[in-house]
């Protein structure tokens, strides 16, 4: 995964799905998912700690205002999900 900060415009979160590199074969990308979040929608960016099973995991989350007319006033976009 990668996070691109496009300062005057917003943030792009990109995830590549595929086959990881091994000692015999190179990595193969099968699909790419990109999400662009405009700067006007971002309320805060947090580096947080969560618990999964018996492990502590750190993750990056973008807290955003909802741009659609929905029941959710705030949306959370998580980067580097495991």
């Amino acid at each position: 995964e990668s996070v691109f900060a496009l300062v005057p415009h917003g943030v792009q979160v990109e995830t590549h799905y595929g086959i990881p590199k091994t000692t015999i074969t190179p990595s193969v990308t099968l699909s790419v998912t990109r999400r662009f979040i405009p700067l006007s929608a971002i309320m805060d960016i947090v580096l947080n700690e969560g618990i999964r099973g018996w492990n502590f995991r750190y993750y990056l989350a973008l807290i955003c205002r909802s741009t659609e007319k929905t029941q959710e006033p705030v949306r959370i976009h998580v980067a580097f999900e495991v």
Side-chain angles (χ1 to χ4, degrees):
E1 290 200 31
S2 58
V3 176
F4 296 108
L6 306 167
V7 178
H9 305 292
V11 175
Q12 178 174 313
V13 180
E14 187 173 300
T15 306
H16 293 255
Y17 298 98
I19 302 168
K21 180 181 175 181
T22 64
T23 56
I24 302 170
T25 61
S27 63
V28 177
T29 301
L30 299 175
S31 68
V32 177
T33 302
R34 292 181 181 96
R35 289 181 290 167
F36 180 77
I37 303 159
L39 188 61
S40 60
I42 297 173
M43 294 171 59
D44 202 1
I45 299 173
V46 295
L47 182 60
N48 208 358
E49 179 181 56
I51 300 173
R52 185 174 181 178
W54 294 99
N55 296 326
F56 288 96
R57 308 250 177 150
Y58 294 96
Y59 61 93
L60 180 72
L62 291 99
I63 302 171
C64 304
R65 291 179 195 87
S66 181
T67 54
E68 301 107 24
K69 302 269 185 194
T70 62
Q71 302 264 336
E72 306 169 345
V74 174
R75 295 194 58 143
I76 298 175
H77 297 277
V78 178
F80 308 114
E81 286 187 58
V82 178

